[in-house]
Amino acid sequence: MPHDFIPTLQSNSIFSLVSKAATSKNLKAYVVGGYVRDVVLKRESKDIDFVCVGSGIELAKEVAKLLGQDAKLSVYKNFGTASIHHQGFEYEFVGARKESYRSDSRNPIVEDGTLEDDQNRRDFTINAMAISLSEEDYGVLIDPFQGMEDLRNMIIRTPLEPAITFSDDPLRMLRAIRFATQLHFDIEPDTFDGLIQQAERISIISQERITDELNKIIIAEKPSYGFQLLFHSGLLKLIFPEMANLQGIQKINGKAHKDNFYHTIQVLDNICKMTDSLWLRWAAILHDIAKPATQRFHEKAGWTFHGHEDLGAKWVPKIFKRMKLPLDERMKYVQKLVKLHLRPIALVNDKVTDSAIRRMVFEAGSDVSDLMILCKADVTSKNPERVKKYQSNFKKVEKKIEEVEARDKVMNFNPPVSGEEIIEVFDIKPSKVIGDIKSEIKEAILEGKIKNQKKEAFELMLKIGKKKGLTAKRS
Ligand code: CTP
């Protein structure tokens, strides 16, 4: 019996409470699944799954009674499950089940079963461990597939034949890769082979669930590992073909370009050291996504990818839509960063004008600092001298941004002359000409022809109006 479990269980009164409830209902109850795994890994978990031989609903009702008023019980009769929300914890109760699956559906045929049946139908050995809560063997670990050993050896392995476990629920293929990435585990070779063989079955899984797992991989500490597993298993080309398509090197006349897949996942790892933001990480994933589509070879210049930032930005909405990612300002943010990701690099030159800086700050707005993070992450050179040079160049750009912004305030650009004012001064009806005047004023500010202030902008407005044949009612 692994004694290290007992203190954890006893220190949390829910376990003795469930034990009491189970005894009073004459049921055998167990803590099972992810919570047991996380106790050993010392990961905090607020979700605890209980399984009992018999009715999970009956057990949950008894536990809720013992917990008292602030326990919120929900019963899902159709699924034979119940959950209790209590002081920030979520307790799930289910009767032990035996499940078998049909080939065309994720919905299993479910029958009552033993604890062993229940453990058999779980995804990985490390997720199939149970701890008894019965009075006679309280705290005993029931680990039929040596999950503890796999935890110690940092291995993801299916309890049954991988083909059965994955075919029963193909989402588990992504879960295997997600757990490997989150926990820095290896996937056991037979399990990985099963994954390769069953990869096509991912097609029966809903996009929402696929994307959920993908996002969990992306917010891990080192997502490149997950993406390599996705690539080598064949899953990446099924769930994210554009990204799989980045892989490969072409060589003409001895000139090769870099492998954009490995470059991208390196950029992703780099950015993970600088930000936890899922969306900035998505920008790193997508920054070069259109490189294969824009790649050309020229005798003199070698490989070019002209316009990949614009085409990539154009693809962002359709990729987000297909992936069921949000189509709101988060998508627009990613799109903007993809579009602008080359701009700071173009601005390192000493001769660069303030107006080029102003334009970038205007376009990036308050996301300009995230854009700089993306640019820094984009440096994957192995040459330390070159890396140093890039870093000092970026510092220079950042300094210029600060100076220009302090003076010209174009980051959150607010037109110094409003549309209403133009209407009023020239006594005209709302029409296209107002937009034209505003945009000419904005251009003049960005170009540095006038300062970003009311007086100069108003004078320019009068001049533009006159040129357009309008008469000012006041000056
Ligand atoms: N499970 C499974 N197959 C799945 C999903 C879940 O066998 N496709 C089982 C595993 O035993 C898992 C348990 O159900 O441990 C609980 O699932 P869930 O809460 O989704 O996962 P956790 O393992 O708790 O991990 P996480 O919360 O990180 O998803």
Side-chain angles (χ1 to χ4, degrees):
M1 184 170 81
H3 292 276
D4 48 331
F5 281 135
I6 297 169
T8 319
L9 288 194
Q10 284 177 341
S11 66
N12 190 333
S13 67
I14 184 66
F15 301 110
S16 42
L17 208 113
V18 174
S19 177
K20 206 164 133 192
T23 307
S24 78
K25 290 282 162 190
N26 207 15
L27 296 165
K28 278 186 157 300
Y30 307 85
V31 197
V32 73
Y35 185 80
V36 180
R37 175 200 70 218
D38 287 343
V39 167
V40 183
L41 293 174
K42 302 196 165 38
R43 288 167 102 212
E44 207 200 322
S45 173
K46 298 247 167 194
D47 293 332
I48 309 181
D49 292 335
F50 297 97
V51 66
C52 72
V53 182
S55 163
I57 295 178
E58 195 185 339
L59 178 62
K61 282 184 175 164
E62 187 61 23
V63 173
K65 213 156 80 188
L66 294 177
L67 280 172
Q69 278 192 338
D70 48 339
K72 200 178 158 295
L73 172 75
S74 313
V75 173
Y76 308 97
K77 256 204 178 131
N78 292 348
F79 298 99
T81 66
S83 68
I84 298 175
H85 189 81
H86 184 249
Q87 295 177 352
F89 280 82
E90 197 69 37
Y91 307 127
E92 297 278 341
F93 295 84
V94 59
R97 294 191 255 191
K98 194 176 176 161
E99 293 187 359
S100 52
Y101 291 78
R102 299 188 307 263
S103 64
D104 58 340
S105 163
R106 284 194 72 228
N107 301 329
I109 301 157
V110 184
E111 299 164 68
D112 288 346
T114 61
L115 174 70
E116 197 187 334
D117 290 330
D118 189 278
Q119 286 174 299
N120 272 330
R121 54 163 271 269
R122 289 182 180 266
D123 52 2
F124 307 114
T125 59
I126 61 165
N127 288 346
M129 296 183 282
I131 301 173
S132 173
L133 297 177
S134 299
E135 257 175 7
E136 64 274 19
D137 56 355
Y138 186 87
V140 169
L141 175 76
I142 301 146
D143 179 15
F145 310 108
Q146 286 75 51
M148 270 299 280
E149 203 178 312
D150 284 345
L151 264 189
R152 275 194 208 101
N153 295 328
M154 303 172 77
I155 283 172
I156 305 287
R157 181 202 311 268
T158 55
L160 306 177
E161 278 272 302
I164 298 172
T165 304
F166 290 142
S167 162
D168 279 354
D169 179 0
L171 183 72
R172 290 171 170 167
M173 298 188 283
L174 289 178
R175 281 172 63 89
I177 293 176
R178 187 257 290 186
F179 282 121
T181 314
Q182 284 179 327
L183 305 175
H184 309 283
F185 277 28
D186 282 329
I187 300 181
E188 179 270 332
D190 283 346
T191 301
F192 198 69
D193 277 349
L195 217 145
I196 295 171
Q197 274 155 33
Q198 298 292 320
E200 303 272 344
R201 292 261 299 152
I202 200 70
S203 61
I204 65 164
I205 301 295
S206 75
Q207 185 60 49
E208 287 84 349
R209 306 189 74 182
I210 292 174
T211 298
D212 212 33
E213 290 298 328
L214 195 59
N215 280 342
K216 285 184 184 169
I217 293 171
I218 296 169
I219 57 170
E221 196 187 337
K222 196 166 183 272
S224 63
Y225 178 47
F227 277 103
Q228 294 202 49
L229 292 172
L230 286 172
F231 181 78
H232 291 294
S233 63
L235 278 165
L236 194 66
K237 72 170 185 298
L238 299 169
I239 64 168
F240 195 175
E242 296 90 343
M243 189 167 182
N245 206 22
L246 289 173
Q247 193 271 345
I249 296 174
Q250 270 175 287
K251 207 170 179 182
I252 298 181
N253 300 344
K255 285 183 185 164
H257 62 76
K258 65 183 165 204
D259 184 307
N260 290 308
F261 175 69
Y262 290 99
H263 167 71
T264 294
I265 59 177
Q266 162 93 63
V267 175
L268 179 58
D269 278 355
N270 289 350
I271 217 161
C272 290
K273 295 190 193 108
M274 300 184 254
T275 179
D276 289 334
S277 155
L278 174 65
W279 306 110
L280 189 44
R281 291 178 179 205
W282 263 108
I285 291 170
L286 294 172
H287 79 289
D288 278 347
I289 200 73
K291 268 198 167 174
T294 53
Q295 132 182 352
R296 304 276 178 274
F297 184 79
H298 307 266
E299 285 301 330
K300 275 199 187 132
W303 292 99
T304 63
F305 306 89
H306 286 312
H308 74 273
E309 67 284 17
D310 289 325
L311 188 62
K314 215 169 131 195
W315 285 0
V316 170
K318 79 170 188 198
I319 292 173
F320 265 53
K321 190 160 182 231
R322 195 186 67 228
M323 295 263 189
K324 298 259 180 349
L325 287 163
L327 297 174
D328 55 15
E329 71 284 355
R330 288 167 285 188
M331 183 274 283
K332 293 208 177 98
Y333 162 86
V334 172
Q335 187 176 37
K336 178 160 78 176
L337 292 182
V338 171
K339 188 177 164 67
L340 297 178
H341 80 270
L342 296 176
R343 292 282 280 278
I345 299 164
L347 299 179
V348 295
N349 191 322
D350 278 338
K351 292 188 203 76
V352 84
T353 59
D354 279 359
S355 92
I357 299 272
R358 245 188 322 266
R359 275 189 190 280
M360 183 185 74
V361 175
F362 171 75
E363 282 177 56
S366 50
D367 298 320
V368 73
S369 50
D370 289 355
L371 180 63
M372 292 308 294
I373 292 176
L374 177 58
C375 280
K376 286 176 198 166
D378 202 2
V379 177
T380 56
S381 166
K382 297 272 179 294
N383 177 338
E385 285 305 307
R386 204 174 284 177
V387 172
K388 226 171 160 182
K389 196 179 117 205
Y390 288 144
Q391 280 164 349
S392 96
N393 282 343
F394 286 137
K395 278 217 179 79
K396 276 191 216 156
V397 174
E398 276 169 334
K399 198 157 167 268
K400 280 190 206 167
I401 291 173
E402 248 175 62
E403 285 165 9
V404 164
E405 178 54 19
R407 200 178 54 227
D408 303 332
K409 305 258 179 306
V410 290
M411 190 177 287
N412 294 307
F413 185 74
N414 218 341
V417 179
S418 72
E420 280 81 48
E421 200 161 6
I422 300 170
I423 291 174
E424 186 252 312
V425 169
F426 294 113
D427 192 20
I428 50 175
K429 294 218 159 56
S431 55
K432 181 175 168 291
V433 74
I434 296 145
D436 295 343
I437 296 173
K438 279 178 81 178
S439 128
E440 257 189 70
I441 295 171
K442 181 196 84 192
E443 279 300 310
I445 293 169
L446 293 179
E447 276 304 306
K449 288 182 186 147
I450 64 165
K451 290 206 178 97
N452 184 12
Q453 45 156 261
K454 182 70 190 253
K455 188 169 169 287
E456 293 194 18
F458 193 88
E459 276 163 17
L460 181 62
M461 174 200 73
L462 293 176
K463 255 195 229 159
I464 302 169
K466 197 169 172 196
K467 226 171 44 199
K468 289 184 185 293
L470 302 173
T471 318
K473 302 288 172 266
R474 67 173 168 92
S475 56

